[in-house]
Amino acid sequence: MAIILKPEDFPTPHTRLGLTVSYGETDRMGYAYYGHYPHWFERARGLCIRERGMSYAEVEARGVWLPVRDMAVRYVRPARYDEEISVRVAVAAWGRASVTFAYQVFGPPNTSMLLAAGETVHACTSPQGRPMAVPDWLRSLFSA
């Protein structure tokens, strides 16, 4: 896995999801608990698909499931309670039967400071869990 730490190296097109760190997402130190980052990635990924004209539910209704096969996160600085953050997501790579999404989380000031970066690799499977080639319509969804 190759986590993208440099903002200028991030793939395009990308999507940004704005969030405010809630009290319930923090630990005793007031830092966002590390386990929330994968959920923020998922929310950003869902928005990314919706912005391209389809919902995750519609992808599944077409017979394509995208279970997470691998995930990595590099924590650079902590996000803190009540801070506005931005999660950036884009498709980083396509395999024959997989898709890799890249993520960057930014925080104050003005959601410009890199807080974390990550990557999820998704297998492309049938609803029965059998690997399948990524359909052309799914690839084309992210081509523009």
Side-chain angles (χ1 to χ4, degrees):
M1 299 188 86
I3 294 175
I4 301 169
L5 292 171
K6 293 181 180 178
E8 62 272 15
D9 292 342
F10 204 76
T12 57
H14 65 263
T15 295
R16 282 190 180 260
L17 171 69
L19 299 167
T20 301
V21 179
S22 72
Y23 187 80
E25 293 173 311
T26 62
D27 60 19
R28 187 173 179 171
M29 297 177 288
Y31 297 161
Y33 177 67
Y34 73 92
H36 288 291
Y37 288 77
H39 183 225
W40 296 341
F41 292 174
E42 178 188 350
R43 291 179 61 188
R45 191 171 60 248
L47 176 62
C48 182
I49 294 170
R50 276 192 306 281
E51 282 186 352
R52 282 148 185 84
M54 192 173 290
S55 70
Y56 225 134
E58 190 175 342
V59 171
E60 290 181 346
R62 289 184 173 204
V64 177
W65 287 21
L66 298 170
V68 174
R69 187 182 76 201
D70 225 339
M71 184 183 75
V73 182
R74 168 65 87 48
Y75 301 97
V76 179
R77 292 176 180 82
R80 293 179 169 87
Y81 167 62
D82 207 34
E83 287 182 341
E84 289 185 21
I85 62 170
S86 176
V87 182
R88 182 162 67 161
V89 59
V91 171
W94 292 99
R96 190 188 72 71
S98 66
V99 57
T100 301
F101 288 91
Y103 309 89
Q104 290 180 331
V105 180
F106 295 93
N110 303 315
T111 63
S112 63
M113 178 74 64
L114 182 68
L115 304 179
E119 185 176 272
T120 55
V121 180
H122 300 257
C124 187
T125 74
S126 69
Q128 295 75 32
R130 292 186 188 93
M132 62 184 286
V134 175
D136 290 338
W137 61 263
L138 186 60
R139 285 181 196 265
S140 66
L141 193 67
F142 294 95
S143 64

